[in-house]
Amino acid sequence: MLHLSMDKLYLQLNEDLEAIEKNESDPLKRMVSAVSKIRDSLDNLKLLIVNNPFSEITEEIHFFKHIKPKFSSKLIYQIESYKINCARPCGTLETLKAYFEKELIFIERFFRQNQFLYEYYRQGMVELDSMYFVRGAGVQTGILPDIPDLQSDFSTSCDYLFSKFIAYELLQIYILTELGKLNSTSIYIPENKKELPELKWTGDKVNLVEVIYGIYFTGQLNHGNADLSVIIRFMERSLQIDLSRSYRDFIDIRNRKRSSPTRYIDEMRESISKKVDEDLALKRPRRTSINADLK
């Protein structure tokens, strides 16, 4: 029940942020509205934890390693992306490029300064989780150079740092996208891949949304650290489709009859099983023909 409540809170936050992005044109007002929504969600998330204490240490670790950073990273991203836009210089194309490249260097330096913990995050390591993601666990302060004052009842040694890793990876994507616009070419398509034909999703949108959420909930990308909104944007860009209603589509999926919440994935499984059965049937020896030859 707690997990479902946190998922619902996260889905609602994404819907709210998407609405703000579409309906508010002023950058400052957009940032202030987004930050307010995220802070409200974090308050509600804390309330859920207060009212539903963890029954096992593994639950606490999962929450502070994976759940809370998803929310906190959005707060960091909104503030940092606003700062980058505010400081964007007026000038030539080369001036703008130099500015964004400098921002990328800053992010890379941050990752290098926290290299051990960044690799721990990227590789999905678990060996030190009980020290990093349990409240009150002691950690040598020299290992954690970028930790603000923490709420002892709602923070651990590394959940903020993991939030910042997620946010800064999103900032990298944002900056690379802006550089791509300046270069009038896509930054995401390597030269040796440009000959590949474009692909477009022509099936039902809800089917793709079902697949996206399956990928997200099973943690298949970036060791489970890929943000849902990033996966959605990747699919939109890669498959040329508008998924702006994806969160609402998932609510429709969730409201399906309990016996069939994953209709498309079930259809995929049946199609694969059918193909495997057909291939195996072709490989089986035809005993009747062999026996006939012997006679």
Side-chain angles (χ1 to χ4, degrees):
M1 183 63 68
L2 177 61
H3 185 72
L4 290 175
S5 297
M6 291 189 294
D7 284 345
K8 183 178 180 180
L9 186 62
Y10 185 68
L11 292 174
Q12 185 61 55
L13 174 60
N14 279 311
E15 282 194 39
D16 292 341
L17 293 179
E18 188 175 301
I20 292 170
E21 184 70 25
K22 287 186 175 181
N23 299 325
E24 183 54 73
S25 57
D26 182 83
L28 177 59
K29 291 181 179 178
R30 185 167 60 242
M31 186 273 290
V32 170
S33 296
V35 166
S36 177
K37 286 291 183 183
I38 298 167
R39 290 191 188 279
D40 287 344
S41 292
L42 281 166
D43 288 341
N44 290 330
L45 189 65
K46 181 178 179 180
L47 190 61
L48 281 174
I49 299 306
V50 170
N51 294 333
N52 301 273
F54 302 115
S55 59
E56 298 178 358
I57 193 172
T58 54
E59 292 180 357
E60 182 173 1
I61 289 172
H62 179 76
F63 175 80
F64 286 107
K65 187 176 184 179
H66 299 290
I67 304 300
K68 186 189 172 189
K70 291 194 305 184
F71 289 79
S72 301
S73 63
K74 291 183 179 297
L75 183 63
I76 297 169
Y77 175 78
Q78 289 292 334
I79 295 172
E80 293 299 324
S81 61
Y82 175 74
K83 288 180 181 178
I84 289 173
N85 271 321
C86 283
R88 183 190 297 232
C90 297
T92 64
L93 189 65
E94 293 304 317
T95 300
L96 286 171
K97 286 182 180 179
Y99 169 71
F100 283 120
E101 288 168 357
K102 185 178 179 181
E103 291 298 319
L104 284 178
I105 292 172
F106 172 81
I107 293 174
E108 288 296 334
R109 184 183 301 119
F110 169 76
F111 288 148
R112 287 197 303 272
Q113 288 172 342
N114 298 279
Q115 185 172 0
F116 174 77
L117 287 167
Y118 186 52
E119 284 303 313
Y120 192 93
Y121 156 81
R122 290 185 64 191
Q123 299 299 328
M125 299 168 67
V126 299
E127 291 83 356
L128 301 176
D129 281 1
S130 60
M131 183 167 60
Y132 291 157
F133 301 104
V134 174
R135 290 166 294 182
V139 181
Q140 294 179 356
T141 54
I143 303 177
L144 308 173
D146 196 73
I147 303 299
D149 292 335
L150 303 175
Q151 304 176 46
S152 59
D153 60 339
F154 194 55
S155 296
T156 63
S157 299
C158 283
D159 69 81
Y160 173 78
L161 202 54
F162 269 43
S163 301
K164 202 162 185 177
F165 290 154
I166 296 170
Y168 274 30
E169 287 183 342
L170 291 175
L171 283 173
Q172 280 184 320
I173 294 173
Y174 168 73
I175 295 169
L176 287 170
T177 300
E178 292 302 305
L179 279 171
K181 292 176 183 177
L182 293 175
N183 290 325
S184 299
T185 184
S186 173
I187 199 74
Y188 298 100
I189 304 177
E191 290 294 329
N192 62 340
K193 298 292 183 181
K194 286 186 177 179
E195 70 275 8
L196 294 176
E198 292 185 348
L199 296 176
K200 184 175 183 179
W201 184 270
T202 55
D204 291 339
K205 286 185 182 182
V206 70
N207 291 343
L208 181 56
V209 171
E210 196 175 306
V211 171
I212 289 171
Y213 275 85
I215 292 171
Y216 172 69
F217 287 135
T218 55
Q220 300 301 303
L221 299 176
N222 293 357
H223 303 285
N225 294 312
D227 191 82
L228 177 61
S229 60
V230 175
I231 300 174
I232 291 172
R233 291 203 300 272
F234 175 82
M235 291 295 190
E236 282 185 314
R237 187 181 68 236
S238 301
L239 299 177
Q240 305 179 59
I241 186 171
D242 177 13
L243 294 174
S244 58
R245 280 183 45 87
S246 57
Y247 305 111
R248 192 56 62 182
D249 287 336
F250 180 71
I251 291 175
D252 293 339
I253 291 172
R254 194 179 61 196
N255 291 335
R256 290 173 180 172
K257 292 181 180 179
R258 185 64 181 168
S259 59
S260 59
T262 53
R263 294 172 187 167
Y264 181 59
I265 293 176
D266 291 343
E267 182 182 336
M268 291 174 65
R269 185 180 64 249
E270 290 173 5
S271 297
I272 293 172
S273 296
K274 181 180 178 181
K275 177 60 177 174
V276 170
D277 289 342
E278 290 174 352
D279 288 350
L280 290 176
L282 290 174
K283 291 181 179 180
R284 292 192 187 105
R286 300 172 61 184
R287 294 184 179 180
T288 54
S289 298
I290 294 174
N291 292 335
D293 291 340
L294 290 175
K295 291 180 179 178

